Structures are given as structure tokens and as C-alpha cells.
């Protein structure tokens, strides 16, 4: 990701940031592992329906689970591992990857959220070398209708990112 960001030079152009394939893959993989919303909107079956071998009768309430879908081993081998490359190797359908919901009920803020995520990540990583302050695994926690990192994610600035030259080893106090 740092190599891709370094290819932009010192002046970050917003249009160039939005077109970076590995940055997009990192954002997609992050939203796959930690979707902001765990459940999609409820659906009521109106006519007989079969989903993955299950027969659903009219009147059945269906609540799609985004979190569980994103952790299906048949769709995402080694689903607990952070592997952005999976989004470079394959296009997932709207029923396999749905961090913003799907169909005509997809989140209206999707484009802005992705734009903001990419710009913030590119800006911070192109300037600073960061590390986790704590090595404990991040566990998702329910916060009302949304999911977020339980207890937050504490980061430490290690130094300034030197473009195309690696990172200084000194830490800021």
C-alpha cells in the first residue's frame, strides 16, 4: 500500500487516490472483516422461496447477516485473515459482499463513505508511520445498530513516512 501511495508523489491528487487498486482492496477487505452494520434490513417472504437448500414459506421473516456472509469460508477462504488481494483477484457479487447493504436499499452514503475512507487512509499513511499501541486482536463490538472496535483502536506515531525511502526508526514521544 505504501508503494502504491508513494507512486502518487508528494501532492496527493484526490482523483488519483480514488483510482488506486490496492488502496481500494484494503478498504474493501477492512469493510469485509469489520462491516459497520451487522444485519441488513428484514425481509418478509411473499411467495415460496429456496435459499441454499432451505425452503422458506410465505410469511417467513428473513434477516440477512452481513457479518456472517463476509466470514463464509466458501466465499472467503481463511476468512479471519486480512487479505486485500482477494479483492484484486475476484469481483464479488452484491449478495456476497455487502458492507453497505444491497439492491435498491443500499446505503445512500456509500460513495461518500468510501471516498472519505480512502482519502483519510492515503493522507495519514503517506505522511506517518503508525503502529498499534496494543497487540491485542481487535474485536468487533455492537454499538446500538452498528459495529465498531470494542474499546477503540489505539495507535502510536513511530515517525514520518519518507517517500520511497522507508520510514525513520525513531519514535515520537
Amino acid at each position: 500500500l505504501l508503494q502504491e501511495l508513494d507512486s502518487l508523489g508528494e501532492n496527493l491528487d484526490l482523483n488519483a487516490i480514488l483510482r488506486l487498486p490496492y488502496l481500494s482492496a484494503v478498504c474493501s477487505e477492512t469493510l469485509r472483516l469489520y462491516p459497520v452494520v451487522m444485519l441488513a434490513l428484514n425481509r418478509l417472504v411473499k411467495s415460496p422461496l429456496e435459499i441454499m437448500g432451505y425452503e422458506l414459506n410465505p410469511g417467513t421473516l428473513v434477516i440477512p447477516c452481513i457479518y456472517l456472509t463476509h466470514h463464509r469460508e466458501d466465499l472467503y477462504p481463511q476468512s479471519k485473515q486480512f487479505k486485500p488481494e482477494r479483492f484484486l483477484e475476484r469481483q464479488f457479487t452484491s449478495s456476497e459482499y455487502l458492507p453497505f447493504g444491497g439492491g435498491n436499499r443500499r446505503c445512500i452514503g456509500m460513495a461518500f463513505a468510501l471516498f472519505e475512507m480512502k482519502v483519510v487512509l492515503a493522507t495519514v499513511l503517506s505522511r506517518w508511520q503508525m503502529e498499534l499501541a496494543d497487540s491485542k486482536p481487535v474485536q468487533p463490538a455492537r454499538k446500538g445498530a452498528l459495529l465498531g472496535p470494542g474499546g477503540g483502536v489505539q495507535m502510536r506515531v513511530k515517525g514520518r513516512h519518507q517517500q520511497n525511502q522507508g520510514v525513520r526508526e525513531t519514535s515520537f514521544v
Side-chain angles (χ1 to χ4, degrees):
L1 179 57
L2 291 176
Q3 288 174 349
E4 188 176 70
L5 293 172
D6 285 349
S7 74
L8 297 178
E10 290 186 25
N11 297 322
L12 297 179
D13 173 45
L14 292 180
N15 289 319
I17 289 171
L18 297 178
R19 289 190 302 268
L20 294 174
Y22 199 75
L23 176 62
S24 294
V26 166
C27 291
S28 294
E29 181 69 348
T30 300
L31 290 170
R32 182 193 70 80
L33 276 170
Y34 303 108
V36 177
V37 179
M38 183 171 39
L39 304 172
L41 295 175
N42 302 348
R43 305 289 195 278
L44 190 62
V45 176
K46 293 186 178 183
S47 58
L49 175 68
E50 180 185 329
I51 299 176
M52 297 180 70
Y54 292 92
E55 297 288 334
L56 304 176
N57 296 317
T60 302
L61 182 65
V62 177
I63 306 170
C65 184
I66 296 168
Y67 184 85
L68 292 177
T69 301
H70 286 179
H71 286 83
R72 283 180 45 190
E73 286 290 326
D74 61 323
L75 296 176
Y76 303 99
Q78 299 171 314
S79 69
K80 299 293 183 202
Q81 290 186 358
F82 183 77
K83 294 172 63 176
E85 294 76 17
R86 69 178 92 233
F87 285 92
L88 299 173
E89 298 164 352
R90 178 176 172 208
Q91 283 285 103
F92 292 92
T93 69
S94 60
S95 62
E96 296 171 330
Y97 178 70
L98 51 158
F100 296 97
N104 61 356
R105 291 189 174 95
R106 184 177 304 159
C107 176
I108 193 169
M110 178 180 75
F112 180 71
L114 290 172
F115 171 81
E116 183 178 41
M117 189 177 186
K118 290 176 184 181
V119 170
V120 168
L121 192 57
T123 301
V124 171
L125 292 180
S126 66
R127 290 177 173 81
W128 303 102
Q129 173 66 26
M130 309 287 288
E131 69 180 2
L132 286 169
D134 188 349
S135 61
K136 288 188 303 189
V138 175
Q139 295 296 324
R142 198 163 167 201
K143 300 178 179 200
L146 306 177
L147 288 176
V153 179
Q154 300 291 316
M155 301 291 296
R156 181 178 299 125
V157 176
K158 283 180 61 175
R160 280 186 131 339
H161 174 70
Q162 301 298 317
Q163 185 178 3
N164 296 321
Q165 297 175 10
V167 177
R168 285 192 310 170
E169 292 300 318
T170 58
S171 296
F172 289 104
V173 179

